[in-house]
Each structure stands twice: as structure tokens, then as C-alpha cells.
């Protein structure tokens, strides 16, 4: 699963708190602050949509400073350099 996330505020304390909190989640396998329309790109590894729903609603959405999330499910991997 891929999640784009935006913060409610852009101050240093909010950014640092959000990053520290999300980085601790075991489901998060990639976490990047990015330029552009979204603040963060987060890649999540879970076993099912139901597990993702639980992660999203009980962990990620409870993270202080989070304003919005936008979830994406990969349909097909064309190229990956993993």
C-alpha cells in the first residue's frame, strides 16, 4: 500500500513529532518527506486490505499533526529496483 500524507501545520515541532511517530510503525517500510502537493510518501507492508484498514484507522490516522491521507493500492508493478 502507498499512502500520501499531509500535515495540518508545517512547524518544526509538528514535522519532527510526526516523523518520529510514523517511523516507529512496523508496517512502514518506506517513509519519505517530499516536495510537491503532498508532504509525505509512505509505503506500508500488510497482509490484507482488512489489516491495512486497521493500521490506517487505529494507528496512522491517530498520529498527531496529520491532516489528510490518500491511499493507493498497486495494480501492477512495471519496474522496481528493490
Amino acid at each position: 500500500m502507498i499512502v500520501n500524507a499531509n500535515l495540518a501545520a508545517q512547524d518544526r515541532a509538528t514535522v519532527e513529532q510526526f516523523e518520529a511517530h510514523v517511523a516507529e510503525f512496523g508496517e512502514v517500510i518506506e517513509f519519505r518527506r517530499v516536495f510537491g502537493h503532498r508532504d509525505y510518501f509512505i509505503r506500508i507492508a500488510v497482509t490484507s486490505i482488512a489489516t491495512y484498514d486497521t493500521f490506517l484507522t487505529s494507528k496512522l490516522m491517530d498520529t498527531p499533526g496529520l491532516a489528510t491521507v490518500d491511499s493507493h493500492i498497486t495494480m501492477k508493478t512495471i519496474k522496481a529496483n528493490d
Side-chain angles (χ1 to χ4, degrees):
M1 309 291 171
I2 297 169
V3 175
N4 293 314
N6 282 328
L7 296 181
Q10 299 294 320
D11 61 278
R12 177 182 273 180
T14 300
V15 168
E16 290 176 355
Q17 183 180 21
F18 178 80
E19 290 178 359
H21 192 83
V22 173
E24 292 295 317
F25 296 142
E27 297 90 345
V28 173
I29 58 172
E30 186 176 350
F31 185 30
R32 299 173 184 232
R33 186 178 337 152
V34 296
F35 290 107
H37 185 65
R38 302 292 182 208
D39 295 327
Y40 292 92
F41 171 93
I42 309 166
R43 202 162 59 139
I44 312 297
V46 291
T47 57
S48 67
I49 297 294
T51 305
Y52 175 67
D53 181 54
T54 300
F55 167 78
L56 185 67
T57 57
S58 67
K59 287 186 174 181
L60 187 59
M61 292 176 80
D62 283 343
T63 302
L66 180 66
T68 62
V69 295
D70 184 17
S71 300
H72 303 275
I73 300 171
T74 300
M75 182 186 330
K76 177 182 177 183
T77 301
I78 309 304
K79 180 178 179 178
N81 293 330
D82 293 341

